[in-house]
Structures are given as C-alpha cells and as structure tokens.
Amino acid sequence: MSLEATLEETTHLQGEGDLDSFFSGEYTPPKPVPIGKSNDPSGTMDSKPVGEALPSASQVNALLKLLKVEQLGVAGIFRTAQQHLGNLKPWKEFMLPISNPGQGETCTRLTQNVTTYRTNYLVIFFLVAVLMILRSPSSVACIGIMAVVWVWFLKKNEDTEWKPVVAGIEMGPTMRTIAMTLVTALVVLGWLGQTLFSAFFFSACAAGLHGIMHKPPEAEEDFGLGPEGV
C-alpha cells in the first residue's frame, strides 16, 4: 500500500477499534456520502438535497422580468406625467388676450386653443373634480374606503403564501394588482360617476368658451400682435 493511500484511509479512522483493525488488515473504510445528503443513521437530520431549497434559474429570470416590468410601468407613468406637465402653458398666456372671433374664426380658434392648451384644460378638469368630490360626503367616504382597501391589499400582496385561485387559475402578484385596479375603476365609476360626469361637463363647457374667445398665439402673429409684428 502506498503512503498516500495509507494517509487517505487513516483520515476515516474514528477510534481505537478502527486503528486496531487498520493495522490488522481487517479495516474497511466507510462509503462516501454524496454532497447534500445526510449521513445521520437515525434520520433526525434532513435528508433532502441542499440545492432543493434554492430557486431555479427559470424562477429567478421570471422574478427579474416581473421586477423590470413593474419598474418600467412606474417609470412610464412618471414620464408621461412629466411630459404633460411640461406642456402646461403660463396661466397669464392662457387667460389673455380675449376677443370676439371674426367671421369663420370660431372653428380655427377652437382647434388651435385645444391643441395648445390641452394640459391647462386637464388641470382645470382635475381641480373641478376635486372640488366637487370634496363637497360630496359620499364621494369622500368612497375614496377613504378605497384608500384603506388599497393599503391592506398592497400589504397582503407582498405575502408569498397568499395564492388566491379564481376560476381555477392561480393569481400571481401582477394579476392581483390588475384585478384590483379594475375593481377600483368599476367602484369609482359606479359611486362617483355622476360627480365626475358633472365635472367633465362643466370643464368641457369652460374649455369650449375659452377656445372660442381666446386669441391663440398663431392668430396674434397673423394680426401683427406677436413678437415679430411689434
């Protein structure tokens, strides 16, 4: 027996009995235990492979894709909001000048003003809707209830053990968020529909009147009132 083999076998010796049997030539080294398996004969230790608790590569990729989609969705919302707010015109320019439209100018003014001041009109609609909602106790109660429900849902949606099944389909976090958004939209439209319609009608009338009476910048330049005509 070579020196290396002798040293390798002596590493398995655990007591005086193994040492005596080794020198007498009757010692049998133990069988190697595979990595991740338990060598506990009593079975008290976990005999599952160590790598079984680790997520697979497909699960990791799916999680990364989900996080990327959610990040892009949130970033897209903020980017769209910034673009719309960037188109907001100064309110002094929005209010002045005011004049009666000439013959055949009504449609031209309305089209140009809606295109130029569409963000200002959206801000006016938002402010009118908020004022009307605050004047309605039922609307305030609806928004408060939905806010509490959303706080509960967002906390519950982070629970990995929560796996609701609808029509035999297990809903993941993204599907649950989409479903909650649709339910919220239906509740808001059903409860606040009349208030939002009133706000939209008032804002549309104000926008139409402003679009007809306000002289757009293009019209000012045509009449020699713009920077080039002064």
Side-chain angles (χ1 to χ4, degrees):
M1 180 180 298
S2 63
L3 179 60
E4 295 181 358
T6 303
L7 292 175
E8 183 178 356
E9 290 187 3
T10 55
T11 56
H12 299 288
L13 302 180
Q14 300 177 354
E16 296 181 357
D18 291 343
L19 185 61
D20 295 338
S21 61
F22 174 75
F23 285 108
S24 63
E26 299 177 357
Y27 173 74
T28 303
K31 295 181 180 181
V33 179
I35 297 176
K37 297 291 185 177
S38 173
N39 57 356
D40 184 14
S42 62
T44 57
M45 297 179 63
D46 189 9
S47 60
K48 293 183 180 181
V50 175
E52 185 174 345
L54 299 177
S56 61
S58 59
Q59 292 175 339
V60 174
N61 292 333
L63 179 59
L64 293 177
K65 290 181 180 179
L66 177 60
L67 293 175
K68 184 177 181 181
V69 168
E70 292 182 352
Q71 291 176 356
L72 290 177
V74 175
I77 293 175
F78 281 103
R79 186 165 53 250
T80 303
Q82 290 177 354
Q83 290 176 354
H84 283 291
L85 291 178
N87 295 327
L88 186 67
K89 301 299 181 181
W91 291 104
K92 183 177 180 180
E93 175 187 339
F94 176 79
M95 296 300 298
L96 299 174
I98 297 295
S99 63
N100 292 325
Q103 186 177 3
E105 290 183 350
T106 302
C107 293
T108 303
R109 281 191 176 189
L110 184 60
T111 303
Q112 293 176 348
N113 283 321
V114 170
T115 303
T116 305
Y117 301 107
R118 59 185 182 275
T119 305
N120 298 70
Y121 295 146
L122 289 176
V123 172
I124 292 176
F125 166 73
F126 177 77
L127 295 177
V128 172
V130 170
L131 291 176
M132 288 188 173
I133 290 174
L134 293 178
R135 292 183 60 185
S136 175
S138 60
S139 300
V140 175
C142 175
I143 293 178
I145 293 173
M146 294 306 302
V148 173
V149 171
W150 265 100
V151 170
W152 171 85
F153 170 78
L154 292 176
K155 183 177 180 180
K156 185 69 174 179
N157 202 34
E158 297 177 355
D159 187 2
T160 56
E161 297 181 358
W162 186 41
K163 299 179 180 179
V165 179
V166 178
I169 301 176
E170 183 177 324
M171 301 184 66
T174 304
M175 295 182 62
R176 295 196 294 262
T177 304
I178 295 175
M180 186 63 181
T181 304
L182 294 177
V183 172
T184 303
L186 292 176
V187 172
V188 170
L189 290 178
W191 203 329
L192 306 179
Q194 184 175 0
T195 302
L196 294 178
F197 178 79
S198 300
F200 175 78
F201 179 78
F202 178 82
S203 302
C205 293
L209 181 62
H210 173 271
I212 294 174
M213 300 300 296
H214 183 268
K215 185 180 295 185
E218 292 81 1
E220 294 179 11
E221 295 180 3
D222 293 341
F223 284 94
L225 300 177
E228 297 179 0
V230 178

